[in-house]
Amino acid sequence: MTKTLHPLGAAIRCILLGASLSAAPAMALDVATDGDDKVTDLRPIQVIGIAEDPNRIASPVSVISGDDVVASGAATLGEALSGQPGVHADTFGAGASRPVIRGQVGPRVKVLSDSSAVLDASDISPDHAVTVDPLLGERIEVLRGPATLLYGGGAIGGVVNVLDNKVPTELPEGGLSGRFVLRGNSVADERAFGAGVSAQLGSNLVLHVETSRRDTEDYRAPGLDEARVDGTFSDSRNSSVGLSWVGDKGYVGLAYSYREEDYGLPGHSHEYEGCHPHGSALHCGSHDHGHDDGHDHDHDHDHGHEHVAIVDLESKRFDLRGEYRDPFAGISRVRFRSSYTDYKHDELDEGEVATTFTNKGHDSRVEFEHAPIGLWTGVFGLQHADTEFGADGVEAFMPDVDTRTTGLFVIEHLDLNEQWHFELGARHEWVDHDPIDDARGRPSYSDTATSFSGAAIWSFRPDLSLTFSASRSERAPHAQELYARGVHLATNTYECGLVGHPLTCGGLENNADYGNESSKNYELTLRKTAGDLTFSVGAFANDFDGYIYARTLDRFEDFRLIKYTQSDAEFRGFEAEADYRINDMFSVGVFGDRVTAKFADGSGYVPRIPPSRLGARLNADIGAFGGELEYFHASAQRDIADFETESPAYDMLNLSVNYRLPDGNTRLFLRGSNLLDEQIWNHTSFLADTVPLPGRNLTFGVSLAF
């Protein structure tokens, strides 16, 4: 594909970047601090229990408010986060989109619901939705670096924590509080609303009820024969009810959540369903599409897409949450989270169930924040998860597997003096994968994984700090990476797991020892957190030993035979953003990120790595009005694996405007996205060269908080 720079995009790029760079000398000379400055985007994640001073945060943190997520028009978690430094989205049409952090996705990125694991099937395949509703979140926090050990040594990319109010943590002011959102857009004819209400019952009980509904048609994209991209519709429905007892020293509560979702799978084809391996060679002969799945299933879908594959998803979840402050001597706070999820989705082809995926299980954790011991403060705790994953049908490319994980973790902080702060962390996990009634007799996998982290923060000025962090993380193979064997139509592959041939496939010559993946991670970050100029500039290096990836053994047209394989890999990158406050009404900023990834043996590049980005933004805050003009350029991605094609560069121009009514609680918002109507191919997606992202879009709506 070739790319010609849009003339208007070129002009805007010159104006915005030029204005930002011309302000750089003034930025560099500004050393004043202002005690009233707010540093909301650098505050620590709530559950970590570390210092409130942003110069005492070793891990880079991004915080996105629920209002900003709603106003952005984001329908999925990946969309909601894709503008953050170092964060992109692994899109699959409109219904599924996973966050990609520093080039990592799937099992290397942990997605949490208020610190508890989100149990779905999104880490199995890119066409499986992350079961989090951006319309109902209070805020989303993205954590990278050492403190990710709180949630798993395998969270090498990072942790995404979605905070909600399903279980109320405090008494509502005046006995009643709530939030209402109404939203629509032009590119997909979106119709969406969300509502949540908390009501005090008696002196200590709080009831919370919330619901949302979002319905869209196929979205529009430029440069296609058809104006709309077939199979990009979605329809989701979410509800939850929670009850909490709230006292002077803490709370405890229980919530039940229910989610239904139907969405299309663009580009989904059974053309290669009959392909199968002969050793390490791929054979694609006749394609017999007939199958008897043995399911009785009756669905009423009114989207009129009988020829498009559809995911019909249902998730039921219980959450138990609590916190108690100063329970006994030496412990300042105890927090616990426990959830049980019953997840299922059917993949429908021409109205019939082709494959069913299920995931049932629980995840529980308890954290103890200890009182200061000398100069040390910190958190330690225990986490346990037990899940049973199942697949049945045409794309049952892995057996049913029971996975149990138990982890012990500790994060400690040492404030040596005003200038020096240190952080140490460790996590030890026990991991067991047990195939259930597997006809092939694939073996169980049991191992331990130990991870360590350390960081030093030098605050050489009250508003300036330099952080160096290092960690060694271990990750046990995912069940899919171990046991896969079968056709995976979403990725156009026949998958063979790490377990040797013939228990999976790939030929005897590709059998090899397998074990934990480990990574040595290094990061250097310079931050300025107060004054007219604020910035964060960081560089990182991740060196993997035994990086697990899908190696291509053979190929027929667009279909590949892949074998999960371990090889050393090197990831390098940087993230930077800076903002300069011109006056009380206007500020200007620049931002950018880049990541490169290649195999250490010189065999090529790691696939689906996002392109580098460079952009600028202008913010305005004029009385009741607020707005942001944002422009960025995404470079062409030419560092590609041998089976990939280059993705062209593109320019993104967005404009947001909001108005707060005199009541102070109601906000009207309007956002224009991709105003240049660029044709955008997302290189991180498995549909990178077949399904473009949406074209020009206007999102509009109203939000009310009381």
Side-chain angles (χ1 to χ4, degrees):
M1 302 173 188
T2 59
K3 172 70 169 60
T4 301
L5 181 64
H6 195 290
L8 180 57
I12 292 170
R13 184 196 303 183
C14 293
I15 292 170
L16 288 179
L17 292 180
S20 302
L21 293 175
S22 66
M27 293 180 183
L29 292 173
D30 178 10
V31 295
T33 61
D34 185 344
D36 294 330
D37 287 342
K38 296 180 180 179
V39 201
T40 54
D41 59 332
L42 291 175
R43 294 181 72 82
I45 284 185
Q46 186 183 42
V47 299
I48 296 175
I50 63 177
E52 289 294 308
D53 182 355
N55 284 333
R56 293 295 193 262
I57 305 171
S59 301
V61 179
S62 300
V63 181
I64 308 97
S65 71
D67 284 342
D68 288 343
V69 170
V70 169
S72 73
T76 61
L77 186 62
E79 269 188 84
L81 300 176
S82 61
Q84 299 303 307
V87 185
H88 295 252
D90 172 13
T91 54
F92 203 99
S97 176
R98 306 178 297 183
V100 180
I101 303 179
R102 295 180 172 178
Q104 310 296 339
V105 71
R108 298 184 185 92
V109 173
K110 298 288 184 182
V111 179
L112 310 174
S113 175
D114 199 343
S115 308
S116 185
V118 175
L119 298 180
D120 49 33
S122 60
D123 58 351
I124 296 292
S125 180
D127 64 328
H128 298 172
V130 180
T131 53
V132 171
D133 184 9
L135 278 174
L136 297 176
E138 296 289 315
R139 69 181 185 273
I140 304 174
E141 301 170 328
V142 182
L143 176 67
R144 318 160 188 84
T148 59
L149 293 187
L150 283 169
Y151 307 105
I156 295 167
V159 169
V160 176
N161 195 20
V162 182
L163 279 297
D164 55 54
N165 199 33
K166 293 177 183 177
V167 176
T169 61
E170 58 186 12
L171 301 175
E173 186 175 348
L176 186 69
S177 66
R179 182 179 173 217
F180 175 81
V181 173
L182 188 65
R183 192 182 73 188
N185 73 29
S186 63
V187 79
D189 300 332
E190 179 192 57
R191 301 167 296 279
F193 79 89
V197 176
S198 294
Q200 185 171 341
L201 307 177
S203 57
N204 295 99
L205 288 178
V206 183
L207 175 69
H208 180 80
V209 179
E210 64 184 28
T211 187
S212 72
R213 174 71 187 266
R214 181 177 181 271
D215 186 32
T216 72
E217 300 301 325
D218 291 336
Y219 64 65
R220 298 176 180 88
L224 302 179
D225 293 336
E226 299 291 335
R228 295 181 182 267
V229 181
D230 202 21
T232 57
F233 61 87
S234 65
D235 184 2
S236 65
R237 302 159 296 282
N238 298 269
S239 297
S240 72
V241 58
L243 185 67
S244 286
W245 184 93
V246 181
D248 294 336
K249 301 185 70 175
Y251 69 92
V252 62
L254 180 68
Y256 170 74
S257 305
Y258 181 77
R259 179 183 182 94
E260 285 184 328
E261 187 167 6
D262 302 308
Y263 60 88
L265 299 178
H268 195 276
S269 169
H270 288 260
E271 180 181 0
Y272 303 107
E273 186 179 308
C275 293
H276 55 277
H278 287 173
S280 59
L282 184 63
H283 176 71
C284 293
S286 61
H287 304 287
D288 180 10
H289 297 282
H291 61 270
D292 180 9
D293 51 55
H295 290 271
D296 260 335
H297 216 81
D298 183 23
H299 288 272
D300 180 20
H301 299 284
D302 56 7
H303 286 281
H305 296 272
E306 292 83 0
H307 61 289
V308 172
I310 295 173
V311 166
D312 180 22
L313 181 156
E314 181 183 66
S315 178
K316 305 169 188 176
R317 178 181 171 111
F318 291 91
D319 282 282
L320 176 65
R321 303 173 184 171
E323 176 180 313
Y324 193 68
R325 293 179 288 276
D326 300 317
F328 43 83
I331 300 297
S332 57
R333 183 173 64 168
V334 176
R335 301 179 76 252
F336 61 87
R337 297 287 186 268
S338 186
S339 66
Y340 173 80
T341 303
D342 183 355
Y343 170 93
K344 171 187 175 183
H345 86 246
D346 294 321
E347 296 187 359
L348 308 174
D349 188 31
E350 297 184 352
E352 298 294 329
V353 176
T355 311
T356 298
F357 292 94
T358 60
N359 196 10
K360 299 179 181 180
H362 67 82
D363 177 74
S364 302
R365 61 183 290 117
V366 59
E367 303 170 7
F368 299 90
E369 182 178 335
H370 66 76
I373 303 174
L375 299 176
W376 292 91
T377 58
V379 176
F380 62 93
L382 170 70
Q383 182 174 6
H384 178 73
D386 190 341
T387 62
E388 184 175 314
F389 173 85
D392 181 38
V394 173
E395 288 190 75
F397 53 86
M398 55 183 290
D400 295 357
V401 180
D402 182 21
T403 297
R404 297 176 302 281
T405 305
T406 302
L408 296 173
F409 56 85
V410 59
I411 300 287
E412 289 293 319
H413 303 270
L414 171 64
D415 275 310
L416 192 62
N417 52 43
E418 288 296 317
Q419 285 195 319
W420 287 98
H421 173 84
F422 298 92
E423 178 180 306
L424 296 174
R427 184 181 182 97
H428 186 75
E429 289 184 334
W430 293 263
V431 180
D432 297 281
H433 296 299
D434 291 315
I436 302 170
D437 299 328
D438 179 24
R440 296 189 183 279
R442 280 164 281 200
S444 297
Y445 181 91
S446 297
D447 206 346
T448 60
T450 304
S451 302
F452 301 97
S453 69
I457 304 176
W458 177 33
S459 300
F460 52 92
R461 265 185 18 190
D463 63 334
L464 274 170
S465 65
L466 183 66
T467 300
F468 175 74
S469 63
S471 62
R472 181 188 180 277
S473 302
E474 282 191 332
R475 181 180 74 89
H478 190 279
Q480 178 183 8
E481 296 166 335
L482 285 168
Y483 304 123
R485 178 170 182 150
V487 172
H488 191 179
L489 297 178
T491 59
N492 260 350
T493 57
Y494 192 104
E495 297 193 3
C496 302
L498 287 167
V499 171
H501 179 90
L503 294 177
T504 59
C505 48
L508 291 171
E509 68 274 19
N510 288 302
N511 284 355
D513 293 336
Y514 55 89
N516 288 348
E517 171 186 282
S518 65
S519 173
K520 298 181 181 69
N521 314 299
Y522 308 96
E523 186 167 346
L524 187 66
T525 305
L526 177 67
R527 294 193 188 100
K528 187 175 186 293
T529 57
D532 289 338
L533 169 67
T534 58
F535 60 77
S536 176
V537 180
F540 65 89
N542 295 348
D543 292 332
F544 286 86
D545 294 327
Y547 183 80
I548 302 172
Y549 73 104
R551 178 165 64 100
T552 300
L553 300 182
D554 197 9
R555 182 175 183 175
F556 174 76
E557 298 178 348
D558 293 327
F559 192 82
R560 294 180 297 124
L561 173 65
I562 64 101
K563 170 75 173 178
Y564 285 104
T565 305
Q566 294 192 261
S567 183
D568 297 346
E570 300 171 346
F571 285 70
R572 304 285 186 268
F574 76 86
E575 301 154 2
E577 57 180 341
D579 289 285
Y580 179 67
R581 185 174 59 189
I582 300 171
N583 53 41
D584 290 340
M585 293 188 294
F586 296 100
S587 64
V588 64
V590 293
F591 57 92
D593 57 33
R594 177 176 172 78
V595 60
T596 62
K598 59 185 179 180
F599 294 107
D601 61 5
S603 59
Y605 293 99
V606 177
R608 283 177 293 281
I609 297 300
S612 58
R613 296 181 294 197
L614 178 63
R617 59 173 63 99
L618 176 66
N619 291 90
D621 188 0
I622 307 171
F625 288 92
E628 179 182 81
L629 176 64
E630 177 188 65
Y631 167 81
F632 68 84
H633 175 74
S635 300
Q637 180 55 284
R638 298 187 176 92
D639 297 340
I640 59 175
D642 56 6
F643 63 87
E644 293 185 295
T645 57
E646 294 184 5
S647 296
Y650 64 88
D651 299 290
M652 179 66 76
L653 179 65
N654 305 316
L655 175 64
S656 300
V657 180
N658 64 81
Y659 174 73
R660 192 169 295 278
L661 271 60
D663 64 9
N665 298 323
T666 306
R667 187 173 74 149
L668 307 177
F669 57 87
L670 174 67
R671 177 177 173 83
S673 305
N674 192 9
L675 291 176
L676 302 178
D677 204 26
E678 290 270 283
Q679 188 179 64
I680 300 172
W681 304 93
N682 180 15
H683 193 80
T684 61
S685 172
F686 278 87
L687 305 177
D689 52 5
T690 57
V691 178
L693 295 184
R696 183 184 294 116
N697 181 33
L698 292 179
T699 298
F700 45 89
V702 58
S703 63
L704 169 65
F706 59 89

